Amino acid sequence: MNTTMRVNRGPNARRRAVSVLLALSASAAALAVPGSAVARESSGATPAVTPISWGPCPKAEPPYPDPSPEARCGTVQVPLDWSKPKGRKIGIFVARYRATDPARRIGVLMSNPGGPGAPGADDALYADDPYNGYSPDMLKRFDMIGFDPRGIGRSQNAECDETILDSIPARPRNASEFERMRTLNGRLADSCLARTGPLAAHMDGESVARDMDAIRAALGERKISFIGHSYGTFLGERYARLFPDRLRALALDSAMDPARPDAERYLTDGSVTINSTLKRLAAWCETEADCALQGQDLTAVTDGLFARADAGTLREPGPDGPTRTKVDADQLSDFLTFALGRWNPARATQELAALHSGKGEFTWYGGATDTASRLVLCRDHDFRIRDYAQYRAIRERVEKAAPHIRYNAQALDTVLGCQGWNMAPKPQPARAKGSLPPVLVANATLDLATPLPGARRMARAFPKATLFTMDVVGHWLYRKGGTEKAMRVIDTYLTGREG
């Protein structure tokens, strides 16, 4: 039995479905990349770096398509611990897709797709993909730069002992289970340190932001433009905090709260968002014939489902009627979080109707926080909860704020995953002096992963920022299709900025 988990995925949406297309082994990446730039100590905040030696990019693992033939790859060597610039170095995998119209080239557009845990080099490797790539005009104006953050993918992928995960209580129901969860979370963190080495303790956002500046230096660029999605917005904020004078433009799509919310605020913001999404589904049901519960009060239906779950009488539906399998309240909150977050109203009401009647098709949606996310988020945020009594008090207050869904399961997974994590939260870095460009923040009004209140705080974190919102349910606006307007707004901002 394989007891090693290759940490290469995040729970959140990514730019493209081919985000784990390439071989992720360190040896394969090393063979594919002919040379690397090395950070050398200087008197500045970021060491001087030799230029990147570009070469062919790794092939994709079948059956996925290979990267664009126009893409080139290399590595940048950076300090494992940025507080020790002369210490051990690690390699950051970087990909570039050069601007197709050199005469109109603005500069470089660096990106990060979030996760945390997503290999970000794919943004450049597949920059000209007709569905998930950039527009032709954007490809004319920028060198697209993507990179796998430290500890992710081809940048020394972190490894942890996955056998521990199945033993961790997902939803502790008493003090004993809460303490067991903390103990096993700590054991999981220990396994990451044992199998990955000290890099596991240096995968935080500040370290990645400093890596980004080393990439900038290796590219020979005075300034960069940056677009971050989801967790990538946190990296953009960290880069702006550390290197304000080195930003030409900063676009943040589906923005995280930069103010390091505690466990209760993080859980409350996400839960209220899901509760509001249920109300939007109820309003949709009042007018749409596709609603399987038309004519019924949808919030009353879910309240009734929770009452039955609490009483132990709610069962999984089957093709001929209720099965013998019980559904508890935690499972119901999990289902509602991910069924509503996917925003397929007809399907969501069909499954709610099946739960309500006991008959019909029904799907459980997965969504536990993976280890890559813990290695990052538990260092960037302080979600620590004192004990089970405090945990229950938080849960009760959140339930009052979001009575029809009780809690956002994705947010609770994140919070609980950090309890007992033995790599303490890292202090927020000081804000460096310098002039920032005007910033663009974009967010859906109903986003279960990055709720609108956090995006508002992100916009307020900058001296000059515009918050663009779309009244939709979803995460990650920068894509073709239903939220293409946001893509046009962001592209206009990025190409129109001077500097």
Side-chain angles (χ1 to χ4, degrees):
M1 179 179 179
N2 183 359
T3 61
T4 297
M5 176 170 58
R6 298 294 293 180
V7 180
N8 57 16
R9 299 177 182 240
N12 298 333
R14 300 176 187 169
R15 169 188 295 281
R16 45 185 62 85
V18 292
S19 58
V20 194
L21 302 186
L22 307 184
L24 297 184
S25 69
S27 58
L31 288 171
V33 181
S36 62
V38 181
R40 295 180 298 196
E41 186 180 14
S42 73
S43 58
T46 298
V49 189
T50 55
I52 299 171
S53 178
W54 298 106
C57 296
K59 298 290 186 181
E61 291 182 341
Y64 301 110
D66 286 333
S68 169
E70 303 302 319
R72 290 293 181 268
C73 294
T75 59
V76 174
Q77 297 291 321
V78 300
L80 182 150
D81 181 349
W82 275 99
S83 70
K84 301 174 181 177
K86 292 184 177 180
R88 176 184 161 188
K89 301 296 190 292
I90 57 172
I92 304 300
F93 180 87
V94 184
R96 180 181 68 182
Y97 183 101
R98 300 204 76 161
T100 58
D101 188 348
R104 299 180 62 210
R105 177 184 181 273
I106 293 172
V108 302
L109 177 61
M110 195 179 296
S111 63
N112 181 271
D122 293 351
D123 276 8
L125 294 172
Y126 299 91
D128 57 3
D129 180 88
Y131 182 74
N132 290 304
Y134 294 94
S135 70
D137 189 57
M138 289 290 285
L139 294 175
K140 291 177 182 177
R141 309 302 301 279
F142 291 101
D143 290 355
M144 301 302 178
I145 304 296
F147 66 100
D148 287 359
R150 51 174 54 214
I152 305 298
R154 293 142 290 200
S155 295
Q156 193 176 326
N157 204 50
E159 297 182 2
C160 305
D161 184 355
E162 68 175 354
T163 62
I164 299 171
L165 290 169
D166 292 338
S167 301
I168 301 175
R171 299 288 184 265
R173 298 171 185 266
N174 51 52
S176 176
E177 287 190 2
F178 190 83
E179 290 308 312
R180 176 171 171 77
M181 175 192 68
R182 291 166 57 129
T183 298
L184 291 175
N185 281 343
R187 192 176 300 169
L188 179 63
D190 286 340
S191 79
C192 300
L193 287 166
R195 298 191 178 199
T196 302
L199 174 60
H202 295 280
M203 291 172 59
D204 57 278
E206 179 186 347
S207 295
V208 175
R210 295 188 183 280
D211 295 344
M212 289 164 54
D213 202 57
I215 295 170
R216 175 203 60 78
L219 292 169
E221 298 287 335
R222 186 174 64 88
K223 293 187 176 185
I224 64 168
S225 298
F226 181 80
I227 180 170
H229 312 275
S230 192
Y231 176 75
T233 65
F234 185 84
L235 297 179
E237 189 275 340
R238 281 294 177 265
Y239 190 86
R241 178 179 287 271
L242 294 167
F243 308 106
D245 288 332
R246 297 173 189 175
L247 272 171
R248 172 193 164 272
L250 180 61
L252 305 175
D253 167 29
S254 303
M256 291 189 69
D257 188 339
R260 292 168 64 103
D262 61 13
E264 182 165 353
R265 191 173 83 183
Y266 182 80
L267 186 54
T268 299
D269 284 352
S271 301
V272 169
T273 298
I274 293 294
N275 200 71
S276 298
T277 305
L278 179 66
K279 292 180 179 179
R280 177 162 296 191
L281 182 64
W284 177 88
C285 262
E286 292 176 359
T287 60
E288 298 295 329
D290 287 343
C291 176
L293 290 166
Q294 194 171 42
Q296 300 187 57
D297 183 339
L298 202 63
T299 56
V301 169
T302 58
D303 291 347
L305 291 175
F306 275 112
R308 289 161 60 189
D310 290 338
T313 60
L314 185 62
R315 300 289 190 273
E316 281 191 18
D320 302 313
T323 67
R324 295 182 177 181
T325 305
K326 289 185 178 182
V327 176
D328 65 28
D330 285 319
Q331 290 174 301
L332 186 55
S333 288
D334 286 2
F335 162 75
L336 287 169
T337 296
F338 296 104
L340 292 168
R342 290 163 62 93
W343 196 243
N344 182 335
R347 179 63 178 168
T349 57
Q350 288 169 7
E351 293 183 329
L352 279 171
L355 271 175
H356 183 54
S357 68
K359 184 177 180 178
E361 294 184 2
F362 181 80
T363 304
W364 289 112
Y365 301 96
T369 304
D370 70 6
T371 308
S373 294
R374 299 184 199 205
L375 284 166
V376 177
L377 293 176
C378 300
R379 291 281 278 153
D380 285 338
H381 295 80
D382 191 350
F383 292 137
R384 291 175 293 187
I385 298 172
R386 183 180 62 252
D387 52 24
Y388 182 73
Q390 185 185 22
Y391 169 65
R392 285 309 313 168
I394 290 172
R395 283 282 303 270
E396 289 170 6
R397 289 191 291 270
V398 169
E399 185 176 333
K400 288 181 180 179
H404 304 302
I405 58 96
R406 297 197 177 178
Y407 62 79
N408 178 320
Q410 180 171 305
L412 186 58
D413 286 337
T414 299
V415 166
L416 292 180
C418 291
Q419 305 312 308
W421 200 253
N422 57 17
M423 290 173 258
K426 190 172 182 178
Q428 185 163 266
R431 193 179 297 278
K433 293 181 179 179
S435 179
L436 277 169
V439 176
L440 177 63
V441 180
N443 223 82
T445 54
L446 294 173
D447 184 333
L448 81 91
T450 54
L452 185 57
R456 290 186 175 126
R457 294 182 196 111
M458 178 68 87
R460 291 197 296 267
F462 300 102
K464 296 180 181 179
T466 298
L467 176 61
F468 169 80
T469 61
M470 291 191 71
D471 190 21
V472 296
V473 178
H475 183 61
W476 192 306
L477 297 181
Y478 192 85
R479 63 176 186 270
K480 296 171 183 175
T483 60
E484 197 161 348
K485 179 181 179 181
M487 195 174 189
R488 293 194 296 270
V489 168
I490 293 172
D491 286 353
T492 299
Y493 161 78
L494 288 171
T495 55
R497 279 287 309 141
E498 296 181 358

